[in-house]
Every structure is written in structure tokens, then in C-alpha cells.
Amino acid sequence: MVLIVDDEVFALDLIKRKLAGSGFEFITCNTVALAKELIKENTNIKIVVTDLHMAGEDGFNLLMWLASEYPKIKKVVMSAHTHEDILTPNNEIIHVDAQLKKPVDIKNELIPMLINLLKEV
Amino acid sequence: MLMEIKKFSVPELLLRLNKTYQSFAEQQNMRYLTRYNSPEVVWLQGDRAAIEQILSQVIERAFEVCDKENIELVVEYIDPELIVAIYYPGIEIESVKFKAEILLNDSAYPPEDLVQKWQMRDIEMSDLVELVLVSIAEKKTWMDAAVANHDVVELKELVHAAKGVTGNYHMEEFYDLFSKLDEYLVKNPKIDETVQHMVASLSEIINKIPLKYFKNNEV
């Protein structure tokens, strides 16, 4: 299962529409707090796709938590800018499995990337 | 009876069907969706009215047999045919084929307005484009307030969010402006004349959009 996290409702609507019928099992949420609850409750979440800049707890926080608590879950970042290294506000480097530059082409970028990552899981 | 041979745009036809059947589906507590796996502009040769009637009948037959969940119209171009199939839910119920040719030239079928132009970029999201538009107009009023209050932090957040969503929905005119403003604010994090001018110029885009798109939504 794939978890998609973005605080922008219309971004989630777009992703849900485009992923529907793709064969992926996925869930979405719009806060990091809810994402953490879903990850704790669903042991079959294998990939987390997250926006970086969100109000409240942001994507950096989620990525650091995943690296610490659930290192086997694949991490994908959606961001307006791609980075050679993902640096937290404290300049710690976070390893991610893939980065997608916004606006993301769901059919031609996200879906093929998810297919590749699921093969590794 | 001789069929009148004319060329017409498939995305425009699908947009019209979307508008009709999305609201019909909502009344039935269902959803009507379109999946369009084709080049941006596909032209059909044929009687547009007759073809629209054929597709409407296919869709309406689906509504007669399906009473819950989603009905999905899937449109795919496999040279030289356009294949239209109706799915519920996830199972193909019926399909029809039309002879079609590709014509990749936007100017050959100018959209009626900016909103239709954005909708035709991605037929599958056409209903959401209108909702996004209303949210952008709302954000514009908050941006005006942020400018008036010299609240650059608030303005940056609004602009960044608007840039993201307009990029996702192919609303290029908005996306270009928000991108420039976003970039400018990163380098110059203050409310100066350039920022004021750029925020004000959003109104020029909004004013090009017919009022009907805002009519049913309070802004």
C-alpha cells in the first residue's frame, strides 16, 4: 500500500483520481499527524509519498520520523525544487528513495516510479 | 440520410458530457468520471450531434443498470479509431468505436474561454478545475490582505500553495505569475512595489474569466 501525504486538498483529489484504476492500493491524508497514525495502524504501507512544505508538522518531520521508526518504508518527496540532498532545517541529511518535482505528472512520473519502488520492497 | 461530415474536437465533446452527467450522477449519489487516454486534440469525422447522442445513450444505459458507486467513461485513441467504453465499477459494460484522426493543433479548435482551455488540458479533472478557480479567487483576496498588512510570511505561503495547485491543474496563466512571484519573494522577502504590482495583476487574469464560473460559488 502507498500513503500519499499533502496538505493541499486539490492536490490529493488529483492524485486520487489519477491513481484510481491504476491497480495500486493507496490511502491519502492531509496532515503529518494523521500520516503517522495511519502508518502505525497499517503494517502494509510500503511507500510514503509526501509533500515537503506543509503547515504545522511538515514533510521534513515525517521523513525524519520514518527514517528513525520505519526505516524499511520507501520515502518519496514531492517538492517544487529537487535537491541533491534533502536537508532538514537543522541541516541533517535525510535519505529519500525518489524525488518528484512539482507539478508532478501522475501518469508518466509517479506511477512508473511507484511500480519500480514496489519491485524493491 | 447522408451523414454530414464535419470535424470536431473530442475533448470539447467529452467536456460537455462531463457537465451533463456529473451533475446527474450527483443527484443519484453516484459519480461520473472520464478517463481520457488520448492525445490532447483528437478530431472525429462525422455528425457531431449524432455521435453525442450515441455516447449519451451509452452513458444513460449505464445509469439505468447501475445504481451506486462510479460510472466511468474511458476514451482511448488507437490509430485509426477512437474507442469509447463505459465501465461500472471497473467492469466494461459497453463500448463503441469511431473512425478518428489526430490533429495536434490547438488553434484549430479555440476554446471558448480560459477555463475551458484549462479543462481541455485534462478532461479527467474538468470539474475540479472550476473548484480550484474559486479557491484561487479566494486566495487572491487573502493575498490582497497580506499585501495591505505587509505580512510577507502569509503572502509567501499563499503564493506557494497557489503555485502548486495551479501547476497541477495546468492553469498556465496563473502558474506563470505565481511562479515568478514565488521566486521573487524568495530573493526579496518583503512587500515592495513589484510584489504589489504582481499581486494586483492577478486580477487581470481573473477578470478574463466569465462570471458564470463564479456564479454558483461564493467568493
PDB file of all heavy atoms in Angstrom, chain A residues 23 32 37 43 51 57 60 65 75 80 97 105-106 114 118-119:
ATOM      1  N   GLY A  23      -4.402   0.190 -10.239  1.00  0.00           N
ATOM      2  CA  GLY A  23      -4.032  -1.089  -9.637  1.00  0.00           C
ATOM      3  C   GLY A  23      -3.336  -0.945  -8.301  1.00  0.00           C
ATOM      4  O   GLY A  23      -3.120  -1.918  -7.592  1.00  0.00           O
ATOM      5  N   VAL A  32       0.606  15.515   8.706  1.00  0.00           N
ATOM      6  CA  VAL A  32       1.666  14.588   9.126  1.00  0.00           C
ATOM      7  C   VAL A  32       1.205  13.789  10.341  1.00  0.00           C
ATOM      8  O   VAL A  32       1.507  12.595  10.457  1.00  0.00           O
ATOM      9  CB  VAL A  32       2.956  15.375   9.412  1.00  0.00           C
ATOM     10  CG1 VAL A  32       3.990  14.513  10.126  1.00  0.00           C
ATOM     11  CG2 VAL A  32       3.536  15.923   8.118  1.00  0.00           C
ATOM     12  N   GLU A  37      -0.308   8.267  12.349  1.00  0.00           N
ATOM     13  CA  GLU A  37      -1.298   7.329  12.897  1.00  0.00           C
ATOM     14  C   GLU A  37      -1.581   6.215  11.905  1.00  0.00           C
ATOM     15  O   GLU A  37      -1.654   5.031  12.277  1.00  0.00           O
ATOM     16  CB  GLU A  37      -2.604   8.069  13.219  1.00  0.00           C
ATOM     17  CG  GLU A  37      -2.529   8.987  14.430  1.00  0.00           C
ATOM     18  CD  GLU A  37      -2.054   8.265  15.672  1.00  0.00           C
ATOM     19  OE1 GLU A  37      -2.585   7.176  15.963  1.00  0.00           O
ATOM     20  OE2 GLU A  37      -1.127   8.772  16.336  1.00  0.00           O
ATOM     21  N   THR A  43       0.333  -1.971   8.792  1.00  0.00           N
ATOM     22  CA  THR A  43       1.675  -2.529   8.621  1.00  0.00           C
ATOM     23  C   THR A  43       1.991  -2.801   7.148  1.00  0.00           C
ATOM     24  O   THR A  43       3.128  -3.101   6.801  1.00  0.00           O
ATOM     25  CB  THR A  43       1.827  -3.845   9.404  1.00  0.00           C
ATOM     26  OG1 THR A  43       0.773  -4.733   8.991  1.00  0.00           O
ATOM     27  CG2 THR A  43       1.744  -3.600  10.895  1.00  0.00           C
ATOM     28  N   ASP A  51       4.519  15.600   0.393  1.00  0.00           N
ATOM     29  CA  ASP A  51       4.905  16.954   0.104  1.00  0.00           C
ATOM     30  C   ASP A  51       5.893  17.365   1.201  1.00  0.00           C
ATOM     31  O   ASP A  51       5.879  16.818   2.304  1.00  0.00           O
ATOM     32  CB  ASP A  51       3.648  17.838   0.123  1.00  0.00           C
ATOM     33  CG  ASP A  51       3.918  19.253  -0.331  1.00  0.00           C
ATOM     34  OD1 ASP A  51       4.965  19.510  -0.954  1.00  0.00           O
ATOM     35  OD2 ASP A  51       3.071  20.130  -0.054  1.00  0.00           O
ATOM     36  N   GLU A  57       3.216  20.407  11.317  1.00  0.00           N
ATOM     37  CA  GLU A  57       4.316  19.448  11.112  1.00  0.00           C
ATOM     38  C   GLU A  57       4.512  19.281   9.612  1.00  0.00           C
ATOM     39  O   GLU A  57       3.556  19.049   8.887  1.00  0.00           O
ATOM     40  CB  GLU A  57       3.938  18.092  11.707  1.00  0.00           C
ATOM     41  CG  GLU A  57       4.186  17.972  13.198  1.00  0.00           C
ATOM     42  CD  GLU A  57       4.001  16.525  13.668  1.00  0.00           C
ATOM     43  OE1 GLU A  57       2.831  16.087  13.758  1.00  0.00           O
ATOM     44  OE2 GLU A  57       5.003  15.846  13.903  1.00  0.00           O
ATOM     45  N   PHE A  60       9.538  17.334   6.295  1.00  0.00           N
ATOM     46  CA  PHE A  60      10.851  17.027   6.883  1.00  0.00           C
ATOM     47  C   PHE A  60      10.669  16.211   8.162  1.00  0.00           C
ATOM     48  O   PHE A  60      11.372  15.226   8.404  1.00  0.00           O
ATOM     49  CB  PHE A  60      11.605  18.323   7.223  1.00  0.00           C
ATOM     50  CG  PHE A  60      11.964  19.147   6.035  1.00  0.00           C
ATOM     51  CD1 PHE A  60      11.271  20.310   5.738  1.00  0.00           C
ATOM     52  CD2 PHE A  60      12.996  18.763   5.188  1.00  0.00           C
ATOM     53  CE1 PHE A  60      11.606  21.082   4.638  1.00  0.00           C
ATOM     54  CE2 PHE A  60      13.337  19.532   4.087  1.00  0.00           C
ATOM     55  CZ  PHE A  60      12.641  20.689   3.805  1.00  0.00           C
ATOM     56  N   TRP A  65      11.053  11.073  11.023  1.00  0.00           N
ATOM     57  CA  TRP A  65      10.369  10.072  11.851  1.00  0.00           C
ATOM     58  C   TRP A  65      10.383   8.720  11.171  1.00  0.00           C
ATOM     59  O   TRP A  65      10.631   7.677  11.814  1.00  0.00           O
ATOM     60  CB  TRP A  65       8.933  10.548  12.105  1.00  0.00           C
ATOM     61  CG  TRP A  65       8.091   9.650  12.941  1.00  0.00           C
ATOM     62  CD1 TRP A  65       8.099   9.517  14.298  1.00  0.00           C
ATOM     63  CD2 TRP A  65       7.085   8.752  12.457  1.00  0.00           C
ATOM     64  NE1 TRP A  65       7.164   8.601  14.705  1.00  0.00           N
ATOM     65  CE2 TRP A  65       6.527   8.120  13.584  1.00  0.00           C
ATOM     66  CE3 TRP A  65       6.592   8.421  11.195  1.00  0.00           C
ATOM     67  CZ2 TRP A  65       5.495   7.172  13.490  1.00  0.00           C
ATOM     68  CZ3 TRP A  65       5.577   7.482  11.087  1.00  0.00           C
ATOM     69  CH2 TRP A  65       5.046   6.863  12.228  1.00  0.00           C
ATOM     70  N   LYS A  75      10.630   6.148   0.908  1.00  0.00           N
ATOM     71  CA  LYS A  75      10.248   7.551   1.078  1.00  0.00           C
ATOM     72  C   LYS A  75      10.380   8.281  -0.256  1.00  0.00           C
ATOM     73  O   LYS A  75      11.443   8.260  -0.880  1.00  0.00           O
ATOM     74  CB  LYS A  75      11.136   8.219   2.129  1.00  0.00           C
ATOM     75  CG  LYS A  75      11.009   7.578   3.516  1.00  0.00           C
ATOM     76  CD  LYS A  75      11.912   8.251   4.537  1.00  0.00           C
ATOM     77  CE  LYS A  75      13.346   7.818   4.423  1.00  0.00           C
ATOM     78  NZ  LYS A  75      13.554   6.394   4.714  1.00  0.00           N
ATOM     79  N   ALA A  80       8.588  21.520  -4.959  1.00  0.00           N
ATOM     80  CA  ALA A  80       8.735  22.475  -6.062  1.00  0.00           C
ATOM     81  C   ALA A  80      10.175  22.496  -6.566  1.00  0.00           C
ATOM     82  O   ALA A  80      10.445  22.909  -7.694  1.00  0.00           O
ATOM     83  CB  ALA A  80       8.331  23.870  -5.599  1.00  0.00           C
ATOM     84  N   ASP A  97      14.116   7.854  -1.302  1.00  0.00           N
ATOM     85  CA  ASP A  97      14.241   6.889  -2.385  1.00  0.00           C
ATOM     86  C   ASP A  97      13.945   7.503  -3.745  1.00  0.00           C
ATOM     87  O   ASP A  97      14.372   6.967  -4.772  1.00  0.00           O
ATOM     88  CB  ASP A  97      13.318   5.701  -2.116  1.00  0.00           C
ATOM     89  CG  ASP A  97      13.725   4.967  -0.851  1.00  0.00           C
ATOM     90  OD1 ASP A  97      14.688   4.183  -0.917  1.00  0.00           O
ATOM     91  OD2 ASP A  97      13.106   5.207   0.206  1.00  0.00           O
ATOM     92  N   ASP A 105       3.644  14.845 -12.839  1.00  0.00           N
ATOM     93  CA  ASP A 105       2.842  14.147 -13.848  1.00  0.00           C
ATOM     94  C   ASP A 105       2.533  12.775 -13.267  1.00  0.00           C
ATOM     95  O   ASP A 105       3.394  11.892 -13.211  1.00  0.00           O
ATOM     96  CB  ASP A 105       3.638  14.037 -15.152  1.00  0.00           C
ATOM     97  CG  ASP A 105       2.853  13.387 -16.272  1.00  0.00           C
ATOM     98  OD1 ASP A 105       1.935  12.594 -15.984  1.00  0.00           O
ATOM     99  OD2 ASP A 105       3.160  13.657 -17.437  1.00  0.00           O
ATOM    100  N   ILE A 106       1.290  12.592 -12.820  1.00  0.00           N
ATOM    101  CA  ILE A 106       0.939  11.374 -12.099  1.00  0.00           C
ATOM    102  C   ILE A 106       1.111  10.149 -12.989  1.00  0.00           C
ATOM    103  O   ILE A 106       1.760   9.151 -12.601  1.00  0.00           O
ATOM    104  CB  ILE A 106      -0.514  11.419 -11.582  1.00  0.00           C
ATOM    105  CG1 ILE A 106      -0.777  12.695 -10.798  1.00  0.00           C
ATOM    106  CG2 ILE A 106      -0.836  10.169 -10.765  1.00  0.00           C
ATOM    107  CD1 ILE A 106       0.026  12.831  -9.534  1.00  0.00           C
ATOM    108  N   LEU A 114       6.404   4.464  -8.709  1.00  0.00           N
ATOM    109  CA  LEU A 114       5.838   3.574  -7.692  1.00  0.00           C
ATOM    110  C   LEU A 114       6.003   2.117  -8.102  1.00  0.00           C
ATOM    111  O   LEU A 114       6.307   1.247  -7.269  1.00  0.00           O
ATOM    112  CB  LEU A 114       4.349   3.891  -7.475  1.00  0.00           C
ATOM    113  CG  LEU A 114       4.023   5.217  -6.782  1.00  0.00           C
ATOM    114  CD1 LEU A 114       2.515   5.439  -6.716  1.00  0.00           C
ATOM    115  CD2 LEU A 114       4.631   5.273  -5.386  1.00  0.00           C
ATOM    116  N   LEU A 118       7.982  -0.523  -5.789  1.00  0.00           N
ATOM    117  CA  LEU A 118       7.303  -1.697  -5.234  1.00  0.00           C
ATOM    118  C   LEU A 118       8.051  -2.980  -5.581  1.00  0.00           C
ATOM    119  O   LEU A 118       7.963  -3.972  -4.841  1.00  0.00           O
ATOM    120  CB  LEU A 118       5.856  -1.753  -5.728  1.00  0.00           C
ATOM    121  CG  LEU A 118       4.903  -0.819  -4.990  1.00  0.00           C
ATOM    122  CD1 LEU A 118       3.529  -0.778  -5.645  1.00  0.00           C
ATOM    123  CD2 LEU A 118       4.745  -1.209  -3.521  1.00  0.00           C
ATOM    124  N   LYS A 119       8.785  -2.965  -6.673  1.00  0.00           N
ATOM    125  CA  LYS A 119       9.580  -4.149  -7.023  1.00  0.00           C
ATOM    126  C   LYS A 119      10.695  -4.364  -6.001  1.00  0.00           C
ATOM    127  O   LYS A 119      11.148  -5.485  -5.770  1.00  0.00           O
ATOM    128  CB  LYS A 119      10.204  -3.987  -8.404  1.00  0.00           C
ATOM    129  CG  LYS A 119       9.246  -4.132  -9.561  1.00  0.00           C
ATOM    130  CD  LYS A 119       9.965  -3.888 -10.897  1.00  0.00           C
ATOM    131  CE  LYS A 119       8.962  -3.752 -12.019  1.00  0.00           C
ATOM    132  NZ  LYS A 119       9.578  -3.246 -13.255  1.00  0.00           N
TER     133      LYS A 119
END
